[in-house]
Amino acid sequence: MEKDSGKAFDLYLFKRVMAFTKPYRGTFYGTALAAILLTVFSVLTPMILKEIIDQAIPRRDGDLLFELSAWMVAVLVGQVVCQLLFTYYANWLGESVIKDMRITLFHKMIGFRMAYFSRSSLGVLVTRSVADLQRIGEIFSQGFFMIVADLLKMLAASAIMIWMNWKLAVLVFAILPLILYATRIFQRAMKVAFTEVRAQVSNLNSFVQERLTGMKIVQLFTREEIEAEKFRKINEKHQNAWLKTVWYNSFFFPIAEIVTSLAIGLVVWYGGLQNIVDAGADIAGTLFAFILLIEMLFRPLRQLADKFNTLQMGMVAAGRVFKILDTESRIEDTGTLEVSHMEGAIEFRDVRFGYEADEEVLHGISFAVKPGQKVAIVGSTGAGKSTIINLLNRFYDIHSGTILLDGKDIREYTLASLRNNIAVVLQDVFLFADTIANNIALKDPGVSIDDIEAAARQIGVHDFISSLPGGYQYNVKERGTMLSSGQRQLIAFLRAYMRNPSILVLDEATSSIDTYSEQLIQKASEKVTEGRTSIIIAHRLATVKKADTILVLDKGHIVETGTHQALLDKKGYYSKLYEAQFMVEEVA
């Protein structure tokens, strides 16, 4: 359940974030100890300075001066060491928590069912995985520990002031509300300003990403000048939003310095006045100590607003991340059957399914495929062809009916076992920004380059790959943009073949390739489909003709079943589809 993350500080979310520090409890407590020691060393400095001025110098005691100076050096070294350890390990802890949370988040997301990704913005998921988690890390490096350390310093400084001279302390505390009030106003103004900055950053990122992605359209329709002008205006808003934060900082920090100087001036004035009135009052050391203690009290207070803002933004980011972690959108993997090979018998029994609860896509589909049989599924766009494949792989669960593989309900198989036995070649091939070899093997350590080359030779694509610069080590770049559509199909075909699947699915895998690539695909198809159950969703005539059985779909119903010639002779739906879509191709 998602809690209210709009609070200034959400304790529920904070506890959930802190739960990720459990493996690093030693570091957590060590960082807290460094903060405490840092506070102790900080307040010791003005106390030692007071003793030097009040004791060593008036007495002209060189030994005492040397001893106190040595202690001063030791304290300063200890302060530097504690500051180093505190800064490093606070950041180390934050990065470690980010690492663990990012792994947990990614593991959660890759287990989501396809319906989740259909309804979610991929850009938002990327932002949650990168930018929002970085904000959470800042809770440790710039938020929580820094606030705790500053509060400890302020409390210690206040206590030492009261102990040294309560009258001077009261004078300092009387000035304190001024800087507290200024800090509060600054915090509110900066919160509004940063909200505007984040909105403008989001607009800027979205605009640039969209225009770069659609650059071909921008140039085809000669919109360069128009888009450049839009970008100028958006960039100007972004600049103004940042300048507003600079403006607030320009006001606040001089005011904070003036208030600090006012406090120091009043202390020096009142202390000097005490010394004049009471000639026996030796207050010089106390005044020097108070000047350091005032800085120790007021400086953290000036920065506290920013640190609380960092903490709050981290909590907001945590709320977004935990919302995803709390999402339940997984295919239930309750099956126990694990098989390395299937015979390949497929049966759909009265299967009903819809991507939306009230919009059914498949209306009681029933058919059977024998092991080793080649079945083609044809139909107009939206008939439900690809949906059948999605259900076979359990990317979605059916609403009713049964899907059987080798006579067993597919839910009885583990998801890994089920999907390892089914290879799919899609029309829209996705390739990673990596080498051809890694795209084929998907970095499976059990697959060697020799295995890849042998498989490529078997299906007739080795020569094509070898002709590329670097051959199997050729980097295809993001989404395989260095290859043509047909070449990407060939790589995808080889990737599927390498898995040695029991069932092969070609989802319109030859619908957008050139003639040469199609010939290679057809040659590979004969090799790959040999002895395997094959389901072919295709528009190409040659592939459909060779199918043992053709299932004709229309609006989620199987309207005809038979061989190519039998369906043509029937003069029904398939015959009309053939005449509309395939006749031109056959003549050509």
Side-chain angles (χ1 to χ4, degrees), residues 388-448:
I388 290 176
I389 307 308
N390 288 335
L391 297 179
L392 186 63
N393 280 280
R394 283 200 72 196
F395 289 142
Y396 301 86
D397 275 334
I398 60 177
H399 294 170
S400 64
T402 308
I403 301 176
L404 305 173
L405 284 181
D406 288 353
K408 296 181 177 62
D409 193 310
I410 60 172
R411 286 170 290 196
E412 295 181 25
Y413 295 97
T414 64
L415 280 177
S417 180
L418 173 69
R419 292 172 182 172
N420 281 336
N421 278 281
I422 303 173
V424 182
V425 179
L426 299 171
Q427 178 183 4
D428 184 17
V429 176
F430 182 90
L431 297 180
F432 295 96
D434 208 330
T435 64
I436 287 178
N438 284 336
N439 267 290
I440 293 169
L442 297 177
K443 296 189 176 180
D444 184 345
V447 179
S448 68

Side-chain angles (χ1 to χ4, degrees), residues 261-285:
S261 299
L262 176 63
I264 293 173
L266 286 173
V267 165
V268 172
W269 170 77
Y270 187 74
L273 191 62
Q274 278 187 320
N275 203 52
I276 293 172
V277 172
D278 184 0
D282 193 2
I283 202 170

Side-chain angles (χ1 to χ4, degrees), residues 165-193:
N165 190 313
W166 68 270
K167 293 180 180 179
L168 292 178
V170 169
L171 192 63
V172 173
F173 297 155
I175 303 296
L176 203 57
L178 291 176
I179 196 167
L180 285 172
Y181 180 70
T183 300
R184 182 58 179 165
I185 293 176
F186 173 73
Q187 183 183 15
R188 289 176 178 174
M190 288 299 288
K191 183 177 180 180
V192 174

Side-chain angles (χ1 to χ4, degrees), residues 325-483:
L325 289 175
D326 292 341
T327 299
E328 293 301 328
S329 181
R330 302 176 68 90
I331 295 292
E332 293 296 328
D333 190 9
T334 56
T336 56
L337 285 177
E338 293 188 12
V339 293
S340 58
H341 178 74
M342 294 180 179
E343 293 298 321
I346 304 171
E347 185 176 359
F348 275 55
R349 292 182 183 173
D350 194 27
V351 172
R352 294 182 178 274
F353 171 77
Y355 294 101
E356 300 294 338
D358 56 345
E359 296 180 14
E360 199 170 73
V361 175
L362 298 182
H363 311 286
I365 292 291
S366 296
F367 67 88
V369 181
K370 297 177 181 179
Q373 193 175 24
K374 299 177 185 177
V375 175
I377 304 176
V378 301
S380 59
T381 301
K385 304 185 297 296
S386 295
T387 299
I388 290 176
I389 307 308
N390 288 335
L391 297 179
L392 186 63
N393 280 280
R394 283 200 72 196
F395 289 142
Y396 301 86
D397 275 334
I398 60 177
H399 294 170
S400 64
T402 308
I403 301 176
L404 305 173
L405 284 181
D406 288 353
K408 296 181 177 62
D409 193 310
I410 60 172
R411 286 170 290 196
E412 295 181 25
Y413 295 97
T414 64
L415 280 177
S417 180
L418 173 69
R419 292 172 182 172
N420 281 336
N421 278 281
I422 303 173
V424 182
V425 179
L426 299 171
Q427 178 183 4
D428 184 17
V429 176
F430 182 90
L431 297 180
F432 295 96
D434 208 330
T435 64
I436 287 178
N438 284 336
N439 267 290
I440 293 169
L442 297 177
K443 296 189 176 180
D444 184 345
V447 179
S448 68
I449 188 66
D450 293 334
D451 295 332
I452 296 173
E453 288 188 19
R457 291 180 189 277
Q458 289 173 7
I459 67 172
V461 299
H462 173 72
D463 291 341
F464 142 65
I465 297 175
S466 299
S467 67
L468 297 171
Y472 289 87
Q473 300 308 314
Y474 181 64
N475 194 309
V476 300
K477 305 300 180 184
E478 187 175 358
R479 297 185 66 87
T481 54
M482 300 303 291
L483 300 177

Side-chain angles (χ1 to χ4, degrees), residues 113-167:
R113 61 178 71 206
M114 290 297 107
Y116 180 86
F117 297 104
S118 300
R119 297 186 181 98
S120 302
S121 166
L122 296 184
V124 168
L125 294 179
V126 171
T127 300
R128 299 293 177 265
S129 304
V130 182
D132 282 340
L133 279 171
Q134 205 61 45
R135 286 289 188 189
I136 294 173
E138 292 172 0
I139 291 175
F140 300 92
S141 61
Q142 300 177 35
F144 173 70
F145 281 118
M146 288 291 188
I147 290 172
V148 170
D150 286 347
L151 289 176
L152 285 175
K153 286 182 183 179
M154 292 168 63
L155 289 173
S158 300
I160 297 298
M161 284 182 185
I162 294 171
W163 174 70
M164 284 186 177
N165 190 313
W166 68 270
K167 293 180 180 179

